[in-house]
Every structure is written in C-alpha cells, then in structure tokens.
C-alpha cells in the first residue's frame, strides 16, 4: 500500500507595508491548488505577534511568528514598500537564510527580491523583481547574479523570483506545475478564473 504524501508547508512572510496582492495572490493559488488541503498547508508568518499593517492599512494577524513557525517546505517572501525596511532587519534576513537551508523552495514576489539579496541567497543566480525596482535590486544584488528584465519569473531550481504583484500569481501556478504537474496548475487557474501567463 502506497504511503500518503504529507502536505507541504507553505509559509508566507508578512510585514508592515507588504503589498497586498504579493502575499494574497500566492496564498489564493496554493489553497486553490492544494486539493482541499491535502497537498499544501498555507499560512502566514510575521516577526512578532502584533498585527501587521499591509499597504492601505489592511490589518493582518499572522498565523505564526518566526519563533513558532512550523517546518517550512516553501517560503514565499513578498514585497511592497516595507521590503525596503525589512531588507535591513537582520533578525528577518537571518531567519530567512536559516529557513532556506531546510526549505524545498524559496521564492520572492516583487521587491521581496531585495530581502533575499540581503539574506545572501542570490549568489550566481538569475534574478528579477518589479520593473520599477530594478535599479534598487542592482544596488544590493551580488555581482555574480544576473538581472533578467521583462519576465514574469525566473527559476533557479530552489530559488524562484517573480516580477511585481500579479506575477506572484503566475510564479505560484508555475510552482504548482513544477511540484504537482501542469494539469493541477491549470485546474487551479481555472477555478480562480485567472488567465495564467506561463
């Protein structure tokens, strides 16, 4: 008798000033593509227990803090104005680096790439971000990284980076395709009534 595959834990990091669709887009994709929770267990994680204020003062109560977050299989680091602050928060960049050692996949949305750069995860990789933040990424990216413009996402194997906002939805669907097959990704996009830019 075959062993039942345990659901992968998908942790989405949230912080003050996070772009709303950067984290809610991937959240929606992974719950929609989870086969009713059998394949993905999706949750938010923040540095502290306090509510997080996303752009537009949307208040979020994260499910976990970085101190009690379950083992993470997929870590998603969104962007937004607050990413410019979090990229200098060593508590966060150290946590992301530590989690990335055990995670199967790490991916950023938009200016989440700045945080990954400061966590020293981008050496020798192809990287991207929101088209309006390319110069900021150039300033913090290692010289060994290659910045790719005009793409929705880039896959380096373990590290995936996506462009701005809605590109995080495309990258999330791509991750589902990578892990569970194209049919599952297409079904998730169909349920969401989303035109997927593959």
């Amino acid at each position: 008798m075959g062993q039942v595959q345990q659901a992968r834990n998908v942790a989405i990091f949230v912080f003050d000033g996070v772009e709303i669709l950067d984290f809610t887009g991937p959240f929606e994709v992974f719950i929609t593509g989870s086969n009713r929770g059998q394949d993905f267990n999706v949750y938010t994680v923040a540095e502290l227990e306090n509510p997080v204020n996303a752009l537009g003062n949307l208040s979020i109560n994260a499910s976990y803090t970085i101190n009690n977050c379950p083992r993470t299989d997929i870590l998603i680091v969104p962007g937004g104005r607050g990413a410019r602050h979090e990229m200098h928060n060593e508590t966060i960049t150290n946590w992301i680096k530590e989690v990335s050692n055990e995670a199967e996949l790490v991916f950023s949305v938009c200016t989440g790439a700045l945080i990954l750069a400061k966590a020293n995860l981008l050496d020798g990789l192809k990287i991207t971000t929101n088209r309006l933040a390319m110069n900021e990424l150039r300033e913090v990216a290692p010289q060994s990284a290659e910045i790719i413009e005009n793409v929705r996402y880039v896959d380096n194997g373990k590290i995936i980076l996506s462009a701005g906002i809605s590109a995080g939805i495309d990258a999330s669907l791509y991750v589902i395709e990578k892990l569970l097959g194209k049919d599952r990704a297409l079904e998730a996009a169909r349920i969401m009534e989303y035109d997927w830019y593959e």
Side-chain angles (χ1 to χ4, degrees):
M1 201 167 162
Q3 241 184 344
V4 177
Q5 170 87 27
Q6 188 174 1
R8 287 175 167 95
N9 284 339
V10 180
I12 303 178
F13 176 59
V14 292
F15 48 86
D16 284 340
V18 66
E19 172 66 50
I20 296 166
L21 199 58
D22 277 12
F23 80 92
T24 57
F27 199 109
E28 179 69 34
V29 171
F30 281 99
I31 61 170
T32 302
S34 73
N35 191 20
R36 297 192 166 103
Q38 291 183 60
D39 295 314
F40 300 112
N41 172 38
V42 190
Y43 50 85
T44 51
V45 57
E47 180 180 6
L48 305 169
E49 289 185 5
N50 320 2
V52 167
N53 286 315
L55 288 181
N57 290 320
L58 174 69
S59 183
I60 309 149
N61 293 308
S63 300
Y64 298 100
T65 71
I66 61 173
N67 295 315
N68 64 9
C69 181
R71 176 192 51 78
T72 299
D73 299 300
I74 300 171
L75 174 63
I76 301 173
V77 181
R81 286 188 200 128
R84 279 87 170 177
H85 171 75
E86 294 304 323
M87 66 190 272
H88 300 294
N89 182 341
E90 287 189 7
T91 300
I92 291 308
T93 55
N94 289 338
W95 175 77
I96 287 171
K97 186 162 189 160
E98 184 181 320
V99 169
S100 73
N101 289 331
E102 301 293 323
E104 182 178 0
L105 291 172
V106 176
F107 87 84
S108 65
V109 181
C110 194
T111 51
L114 304 176
I115 301 174
L116 294 192
K118 289 300 233 175
N120 297 315
L121 296 179
L122 304 183
D123 280 339
L125 302 186
K126 293 183 177 178
I127 61 176
T128 198
T129 188
N130 186 306
R131 67 181 62 141
L132 301 177
M134 288 293 176
N135 288 334
E136 289 175 272
L137 184 57
R138 279 188 186 89
E139 288 174 12
V140 297
Q143 287 190 336
S144 60
E146 179 187 356
I147 295 179
I148 310 292
E149 299 191 49
N150 302 313
V151 292
R152 301 291 282 174
Y153 50 84
V154 290
D155 181 2
N156 295 281
K158 181 172 181 169
I159 309 280
I160 296 169
L161 300 95
S162 74
I165 310 181
S166 65
I169 296 173
D170 296 330
S172 299
L173 287 164
Y174 170 76
V175 168
I176 289 179
E177 176 186 16
K178 181 173 174 153
L179 298 177
L180 300 176
K182 186 153 195 167
D183 287 348
R184 178 68 68 84
L186 288 171
E187 175 68 3
R190 187 191 67 76
I191 292 168
M192 293 168 56
E193 298 195 17
Y194 180 73
D195 292 329
W196 179 21
Y197 290 90
E198 296 177 60

